[in-house]
Amino acid sequence: MSVIIDTDPGIDDAIAILYALGNPDLNVVALTTVAGNIGLSVTTQNAGRICALAQVDVPVHAGAAAPLGKEARPETGIHGKEGLGGVAFPDPIYPVASDDAVAAMIQILTEHPPHSVDLFCLGPLTNLAMLLEQAPDTAHRIRRVIAMGGAVDEPGNVGPKSEFNIVHDPHAAAAVFAAGLSLTLIPLDATRQLRANMDYIDALRDADCAASIASADLIAAYFAATNGAESRPLHDPCVPLFAKHSNMFRIEPRDLDVDIATGALVAGPHRIDVAMGLDADRLRAALLSGLSY
Ligand code: BDR
Ligand code: CA
């Protein structure tokens, strides 16, 4: 399965990317970056640093520096000034690719047979919305989009009903919902069920691999933003985990739209497959195993 990962790393993005890069069934052909958790230059640099840690030569393409029609709104409180919670990552080995995210998506989707490339969206949906605007037919060559975002029955994490990735660029999310792509949305309703405790961090360290140790450090940094015995939710790892283990998620069709003013998900005309639950124990085990390389 060939995959483009669109991302704003970001602590949980980094864990998701490390998991995907180590998985032989997920052929990651590009990382495309977007402003979100932190500004574009940092998310792009971080994508290259994550590839360097995993020792892979996957091209990194910079994408949108700001949401459609809004200012960027970084979340340095959770992810730190450098976006990776202060965890030490090597410098990128390879320079950022000269073509931007949308150009790269167009080229990859054109070169591959139709419906053979998945798009994992770990951040605001700006790049995908721009692809839909610039090359809608090419966008429809995507096999499926798996996107972390939104809050359906759960409260939001930015506003009462709004989640960061959607509220950061509600125009983009609305365009993606309306596009008729094969879309699985993984909202807070599911991701809040996947957290780590200190024993899990120890198990990652005991695995003694570069990706597992980095993930242990990232989750430990995530604890700094909470007071409890469990980490903040492992939101973005749910995306590649769903690609590999869809049977561990409870999917429900929902008719949804995006309220542009608040970024909340509301009842609407777009039928979307939504992950409303997951098997946390089995997914934690799968994540630990997948990071042990
Ligand atoms: C989402 O927002 C970001 O802070 C995380 O990386 C995740 O993609 C969770 O609301
Ligand atoms: Ca993210």
Side-chain angles (χ1 to χ4, degrees):
M1 178 193 313
S2 293
V3 178
I4 301 168
I5 302 180
D6 191 55
T7 179
D8 62 335
I11 289 175
D12 57 327
D13 301 70
I15 301 167
I17 294 165
L18 288 172
Y19 172 81
L21 291 177
N23 196 303
D25 295 335
L26 302 177
N27 175 31
V28 181
V29 293
L31 299 184
T32 55
T33 58
V34 63
N37 286 318
I38 199 149
L40 181 70
S41 62
V42 182
T43 60
T44 304
Q45 172 87 353
N46 286 348
R49 296 168 76 201
I50 295 163
C51 289
L53 186 119
Q55 298 189 305
V56 296
D57 180 10
V58 172
V60 174
H61 303 266
L68 305 178
K70 285 209 312 180
E71 296 286 311
R73 173 188 175 150
E75 282 293 313
T76 51
I78 293 173
H79 299 267
K81 278 202 192 101
E82 299 304 323
L84 297 175
V87 176
F89 271 74
D91 287 336
I93 300 171
Y94 304 99
V96 177
S98 55
D99 46 343
D100 69 19
V102 172
M105 287 177 179
I106 291 172
Q107 182 168 358
I108 291 164
L109 291 165
T110 305
E111 284 175 357
H112 284 71
H115 311 300
S116 65
V117 179
D118 283 359
L119 180 63
F120 294 176
C121 294
L122 311 182
L125 292 164
T126 319
N127 289 335
L128 176 53
M130 290 170 66
L131 173 68
L132 283 161
E133 171 72 26
Q134 293 176 30
D137 291 347
T138 309
H140 281 86
R141 292 170 72 94
I142 296 172
R143 186 173 83 111
R144 63 177 173 172
V145 176
I146 308 172
M148 189 280 133
V152 179
D153 296 338
E154 277 276 309
N157 61 2
V158 174
K161 288 291 294 169
S162 54
E163 178 279 335
F164 179 81
N165 287 342
I166 304 288
V167 81
H168 189 89
D169 196 342
H171 293 93
V176 169
F177 280 25
L181 298 168
S182 166
L183 169 63
T184 300
L185 189 69
I186 308 189
L188 299 179
D189 306 69
T191 66
R192 280 191 173 136
Q193 298 174 22
L194 189 66
R195 299 173 189 260
N197 60 19
M198 286 299 178
D199 288 345
Y200 192 76
I201 293 179
D202 289 344
L204 284 165
R205 290 201 202 290
D206 289 347
D208 202 23
C209 304
S212 70
I213 292 170
S215 298
D217 292 343
L218 289 161
I219 295 173
Y222 229 17
F223 264 94
T226 182
N227 297 320
E230 290 195 304
S231 69
R232 296 181 59 80
L234 304 178
H235 303 288
D236 292 338
C238 288
V239 171
L241 284 167
F242 175 78
K244 277 291 299 170
H245 302 287
S246 60
N247 59 321
M248 298 182 195
F249 289 77
R250 180 166 52 81
I251 301 295
E252 296 179 11
R254 294 289 181 116
D255 297 319
L256 295 173
D257 207 348
V258 179
D259 177 48
I260 298 290
T262 63
L265 302 187
V266 292
H270 310 302
R271 176 145 292 204
I272 292 167
D273 284 337
V274 182
M276 295 299 292
L278 52 74
D279 185 336
D281 286 339
R282 289 168 71 206
L283 286 168
R284 269 189 292 266
L287 184 62
L288 172 60
S289 160
L291 288 168
S292 301
Y293 65 93

